Amino acid sequence: MSEKLLEIDNLSVCFHLPEGVARAVDRLSLNIAKGETLGLVGESGCGKSVTSMSIMGLIASPPGRIESGRILFQGKNLLELNRENLRRIRGKEISMIFQEPMTSLNPVISIGRQVAEPLMIHKGLSKSEAFDEATGWLEHVKIPAAGKQLKDYPYQLSGGMLQRVMIAMAMVCRPKLLIADEPTTALDVTIQAQILALMSGLKEELGMSLLLITHDFGVIAQMATQVLVMYAGQIVEEASVTRIFDRPFHPYTQGLLKSIPQAGGRAKGRVKRLREIAGTVPALTEVIVGCKFADRCPYTFDLCRQQQPTLDRIQNGHRARCWLHEHPERGRGNV
Amino acid sequence: MTRYLVRKLITLIVLLFLVSITVFSVLFVLPGDPAEIILGMNATPETLANLRAELGLDRSFIVQYANWIGSLLTGRGSMSINYDVPVYDLILSRLAVTGPLAIFAICFAVVISLPLGIYAARHQNQPGDVIVMFFTQLGLATPEFWLGILLILLFAVKWGLFSAGGFPGWSVSFWGSAKALLLPSFALGVIRASILTRLTRSSMLEVLREDYVRTAWAKGLRERTVVYVHALKNALIPVVTILGLQMGQLMAGAIIIENVYYLPGLGRLVFQAIGQRDLPVVREIVLFMAAAVIFVNFIVDLTYAVLDPRVRLT
Ligand SMILES: Nc1ncnc2c1ncn2[C@@H]1O[C@H](COP(=O)(O)OP(=O)(O)O)[C@@H](O)[C@H]1O
Ligand SMILES: [Mg+2]
C-alpha cells in the first residue's frame, strides 16, 4: 500500500439523547491512501455522515461526543488539535461537499464571494485576487459565463450548477482530501453522471484522495477503488471494488447488491434507494449483544444472537464481520 | 430592484390614502360639531351657521375631504381649535420630543437585543441563555406605564438621579432634555428589547442549524464570520419584519409614557386634544402617526432588499 493520508483508528461517536445514548459510530477504523478513492456505503442512518463530520471536527456537542479513537491526518491526530488549528485544516487540507446543493450554499451571499472565501481566509489573498481565482475555478468546473455568475445568488442556479459551485468552492485551496457526502443523491441521473465525471477528473488532476459516501453501489462502481460497507455504526465488510461486486461476503452487502437495479437496464430516473432488505436498522440506542444485523439476516443462527462477530480476514484485503466465516456450513441451503 | 421599489412606493401611497380616508371619516361621523365647540353653548343658530359655512362644514363629505387633503399638501393644514395655531406647527414642536423618544427607545431595544439574542442562541440552554430568557420574560410581562412609574420611584424619588418628569426644551438645555428622555425611552424600550431578543434568539437558532452554516464551518471560516456574516444575515430577515411591526405599538406606548413623565410630546398632545374635543389636532396627529408607521415599514421593505437578494433581484 502507498502512503497513508488519513487513518481512523477505533473511532466511537455517541449522541446523548433524552431516549438514551445513540452509538452512531462504533469502533470504526479506516485508511485512505494518497490518491485513493474510498467508498463508504450503507443505508441511511448507519453513521456515514457522523463519520465524515468527525473528521471535520464538526460533531455538534452536545449532544454528540467522540468517546474514543484517533483520526490521524498526515500523522497528526485531528482530535487533539485545538479549534484554531483544526479550522486551518478545514477547507484547506480537507474539504467537504454535501448532499443538498440547494440548501448548502448561503442564500444571501453571492456565489463569487462564497467560492472566494476560502482563498481569502486560508491563502490570505486580497478580495480581487480571490475573485479572479474563483472565476478560474468556476470556469474549470464548467459553469457557463463564470465571470457573470460571480454576482449571482444560489436561487438563480439549478441544483446541478450549484453542486458544481460547491465543488469549485471545495477545490480552491487544492485540498489533499475531499469528503463527498452523497454528492449526487439529490440530483437527476444525467446530472449525476456529469458531477461524478467532474469529480474524477479533478481528483486525477490534483492528485487528491476522495472519501466518497453514498448508498448507491452504482456510484461506487464508477468511482471507488476500495469499499467499506457500514451497518449500524460499524464496518461490516471491507474489500476492493472488484472483489465486493464479485464475491460479497456479508449477507448485508449481498442484500444491498441485490437491491440495485440491473446495470445496463432501462432504469429511468434515480437509482432506487437501498430499502429492499427486509426490516430496518435497529435503534442505535438499543444495546445489542450479538450481531447487529441478526434480526434481518436470512442465515442467523444461535451464535449470532450470543456474541458479536469480529471483523475477520476473508482473504488478502477482504474482511467481513460475520460468523459465517467461521461456520461456512450455516451459509448453505438457506435462501 | 426598481420594480420592487416602485411597487413598494405605490403601496405606500395607496396606504396613506386609505388611512387618511379612514381617519377623516371616523371623525366626520363622530358626534360633536366643531362650530359648537368653538362658539360654546350659548351661540345663536345664526352665528353657528355662519361659522359652519366659513369652516366649510356645510359642504359634502367629498368636498370637505378634498379641502382637507389640499390644505395638508399645500398650506399649513387645519387650525387647532384650542390653541388657535396651525396644527402643523403644533406637531413640529411636539415631534421634537416624541421623535427622539421613539428613536432612543428603538436604538436601545436594537442595541440590547441583537447581541443578547445571538449570545443566547450560541449558548442555548446554558446558564447565560436561561438568565437572558428569564429577563426577557420579565420584560414582556411588565406594562410600560408600571415600569415607568417604578423607574421614577427608584431613580427620581429614592436616589434623586433624575427629575421625576417634565422637559426643559432642547433650546433651554440640550443635555437636560436628553437626560429627561432617558428613563421614558428605557421604559418604552424594554418590551421591544424583550420581544426582539427572543426573536433574534429563535431566528438565530434556526439558522445555525441550516446546511449552509455547516458549509461555512466546513470551509474553515472564523467563528465570527460564520455567526455574524453567514448566519446573522439570514437571521435578521424576520427580526427586521417584527421591528417594523413594532412601530405602531411604539406610538401607542409613547402616548402612555409621555403622560407618565409629563413630556410635551405628540402623545400628550393627542391625549389632551381628545379631552378638549380639538378635532383637527386629533385628526392630524392620528394621520401623522399612521403615516410614520407606514413610512417606517417602507424603510423596512428597503432593508429587506439589502438583506435578501431574492427580494432585490426579482
Ligand atoms: N445531531 C444529531 N443529534 C442526535 N443524533 C444524531 C445527530 N446526528 C446524527 N445522529 C444519530 O446518528 C445516526 C447516524 O446518522 P448519520 O451519520 O447522519 O447517518 P447516514 O449514514 O445516513 O449519514 C442517526 O441515526 C442519529 O441517530
Ligand atoms: Mg448522511
Side-chain angles (χ1 to χ4, degrees):
Chain A
M1 276 266 268
S2 52
E3 213 177 326
K4 275 176 195 165
L5 181 70
L6 181 85
E7 186 180 357
I8 298 183
D9 185 21
N10 206 33
L11 177 73
S12 292
V13 185
C14 291
F15 288 92
H16 294 258
L17 306 173
E19 62 269 25
V21 178
R23 192 164 283 274
V25 174
D26 188 6
R27 287 160 292 164
L28 175 139
S29 299
L30 64 81
N31 284 308
I32 302 178
K34 283 214 169 114
E36 179 188 38
T37 298
L38 178 69
L40 188 58
V41 212
E43 283 167 306
S44 121
C46 68
K48 307 183 296 292
S49 296
V50 172
T51 305
S52 62
M53 294 310 270
S54 309
I55 301 171
M56 299 298 280
L58 292 177
I59 295 291
S61 165
R65 230 189 83 193
I66 295 186
E67 309 261 295
S68 73
R70 294 188 307 167
I71 301 177
L72 299 177
F73 179 73
Q74 299 183 307
K76 257 184 300 184
N77 188 353
L78 298 181
L79 298 180
E80 282 170 357
L81 289 185
N82 63 28
R83 270 165 32 146
E84 181 59 16
N85 286 332
L86 192 59
R87 187 187 67 71
R88 284 171 213 240
I89 289 179
R90 291 205 280 256
K92 181 167 182 245
E93 313 263 345
I94 308 178
S95 282
M96 190 158 180
I97 58 178
F98 301 96
Q99 179 170 344
E100 296 284 348
M102 296 287 201
T103 56
S104 295
L105 285 159
N106 197 313
V108 302
I109 298 179
S110 72
I111 302 282
R113 163 127 203 217
Q114 293 192 62
V115 176
E117 255 174 345
L119 290 165
M120 293 191 267
I121 191 99
H122 293 303
K123 299 261 157 115
L125 296 193
S126 72
K127 198 177 158 190
S128 66
E129 289 167 336
F131 271 70
D132 283 346
E133 207 166 322
T135 318
W137 277 101
L138 288 177
E139 278 162 7
H140 202 85
V141 298
K142 302 203 175 55
I143 291 199
K148 207 178 108 306
Q149 305 265 7
L150 282 182
K151 290 194 191 69
D152 281 349
Y153 289 85
Y155 79 94
Q156 293 166 298
L157 274 70
S158 70
M161 281 300 144
L162 289 179
Q163 199 60 304
R164 287 172 190 270
V165 172
M166 283 295 290
I167 292 173
M169 194 170 81
M171 290 295 115
V172 286
C173 291
R174 299 174 175 269
K176 301 198 172 70
L177 173 66
L178 174 66
I179 302 175
D181 190 350
E182 315 240 11
T184 57
T185 307
L187 305 175
D188 287 345
V189 154
T190 45
I191 310 289
Q192 251 184 46
Q194 293 169 9
I195 294 292
L196 291 178
L198 176 67
M199 280 172 46
S200 321
L202 284 168
K203 187 186 99 68
E204 291 310 317
E205 185 187 326
L206 301 181
M208 63 180 179
S209 309
L210 179 59
L211 174 59
L212 181 65
I213 295 174
T214 178
H215 58 243
D216 183 347
F217 263 107
V219 172
I220 292 291
Q222 195 176 336
M223 303 284 290
T225 39
Q226 196 72 14
V227 184
L228 288 178
V229 182
M230 223 176 149
Y231 185 75
Q234 291 184 319
I235 301 287
V236 295
E237 185 155 7
E238 174 184 357
S240 70
V241 70
T242 41
R243 177 87 185 172
I244 210 96
F245 281 99
D246 290 349
R247 306 288 297 273
F249 188 89
H250 201 286
Y252 178 61
T253 315
Q254 293 169 1
L256 289 182
L257 282 165
K258 264 186 218 139
S259 65
I260 46 174
Q262 221 46 55
R266 258 168 283 130
K268 287 206 188 92
R270 284 188 210 171
V271 175
K272 264 189 253 157
R273 285 187 166 255
L274 300 179
R275 285 274 163 80
E276 283 83 355
I277 304 175
T280 49
V281 187
L284 296 171
T285 44
E286 235 176 274
V287 180
I288 297 168
V289 182
C291 171
K292 294 189 183 183
F293 190 58
D295 280 342
R296 301 170 72 187
C297 181
Y299 305 105
T300 305
F301 57 100
D302 41 1
L303 182 58
C304 304
R305 303 230 178 246
Q306 289 156 8
Q307 214 181 333
Q308 194 166 86
T310 46
L311 195 55
D312 284 335
R313 180 181 165 280
I314 309 295
Q315 212 203 25
N316 260 349
H318 189 178
R319 297 194 296 165
R321 187 187 295 277
C322 181
W323 287 126
L324 289 179
H325 174 54
E326 283 175 25
H327 302 271
E329 72 286 356
R330 296 285 185 168
R332 287 185 217 108
N334 227 326
V335 174
Chain B
M1 181 68 180
T2 335
R3 259 183 51 203
Y4 176 75
L5 231 147
V6 168
R7 214 167 57 217
K8 289 297 168 190
L9 261 173
I10 292 174
T11 317
L12 176 91
I13 291 165
V14 169
L15 271 177
L16 282 177
F17 172 71
L18 289 178
V19 164
S20 67
I21 282 268
T22 314
V23 169
F24 191 79
S25 357
V26 166
L27 292 181
F28 189 84
V29 299
L30 228 56
D33 181 351
E36 228 166 73
I37 297 168
I38 294 172
L39 294 174
M41 297 297 270
N42 303 326
T44 61
E46 203 170 297
T47 41
L48 270 178
N50 279 342
L51 185 60
R52 281 213 192 91
E54 198 184 309
L55 294 172
L57 295 175
D58 52 352
R59 309 286 195 82
S60 71
F61 174 83
I62 300 287
V63 173
Q64 285 194 42
Y65 172 75
N67 281 341
W68 179 56
I69 292 292
S71 77
L72 285 181
L73 292 178
T74 54
R76 321 205 72 187
S78 336
M79 294 291 281
S80 159
I81 295 174
N82 213 37
Y83 299 89
D84 207 20
V85 290
V87 180
Y88 261 21
D89 295 353
L90 275 179
I91 290 184
L92 273 184
S93 69
R94 300 304 184 95
L95 194 59
V97 177
T98 305
L101 177 69
I103 292 171
F104 281 7
I106 281 289
C107 287
F108 162 75
V110 169
V111 166
I112 289 276
S113 65
L114 287 188
L116 273 187
I118 294 169
Y119 172 85
R122 296 281 295 137
H123 300 86
Q124 191 192 4
N125 297 336
Q126 291 170 25
D129 176 34
V130 173
I131 291 170
V132 168
M133 284 295 99
F134 172 78
F135 277 105
T136 58
Q137 195 69 57
L138 206 62
L140 281 179
T142 311
E144 280 149 342
F145 77 90
W146 189 84
L147 181 62
I149 293 169
L150 184 76
L151 291 175
I152 291 177
L153 281 179
L154 285 181
F155 287 88
V157 179
K158 194 147 187 246
W159 295 325
L161 296 172
F162 289 85
S163 60
F167 188 76
W170 295 106
S171 52
V172 177
S173 160
F174 180 82
W175 289 113
S177 303
K179 196 177 162 195
L181 291 181
L182 218 58
L183 288 185
S185 51
F186 181 79
L188 204 49
V190 161
I191 282 200
R192 264 30 83 181
S194 303
I195 295 173
L196 290 179
T197 302
R198 296 177 80 90
L199 191 72
T200 305
R201 174 182 180 269
S202 63
S203 175
M204 200 69 185
L205 274 178
E206 205 166 290
V207 168
L208 285 173
R209 275 193 289 266
E210 293 284 348
D211 287 351
Y212 53 79
V213 171
R214 182 183 61 187
T215 308
W217 291 116
K219 283 158 89 171
L221 299 181
R222 295 206 171 85
E223 177 165 346
R224 59 165 190 271
T225 316
V226 177
V227 174
Y228 291 96
V229 181
H230 281 248
L232 188 59
K233 236 186 144 194
N234 286 281
L236 275 184
I237 294 170
V239 176
V240 168
T241 312
I242 299 298
L243 187 64
L245 294 177
Q246 291 270 299
M247 287 310 292
Q249 286 146 357
L250 186 74
M251 289 294 167
I255 294 179
I256 294 167
I257 281 296
E258 281 173 1
N259 280 293
V260 171
Y261 282 86
Y262 289 99
L263 296 175
L266 281 176
R268 233 172 112 66
L269 180 62
V270 75
F271 196 74
Q272 290 164 340
I274 291 170
Q276 296 155 346
R277 300 184 147 247
D278 196 340
L279 292 190
V281 173
V282 175
R283 193 172 60 194
E284 251 118 296
I285 293 183
V286 171
L287 179 67
F288 177 81
M289 285 187 163
V293 171
I294 292 172
F295 186 72
V296 168
N297 278 287
F298 176 69
I299 304 279
V300 165
D301 286 334
L302 295 190
T303 315
Y304 275 157
V306 174
L307 287 174
D308 192 341
R310 284 160 294 193
V311 171
R312 183 164 68 235
L313 301 172
T314 46

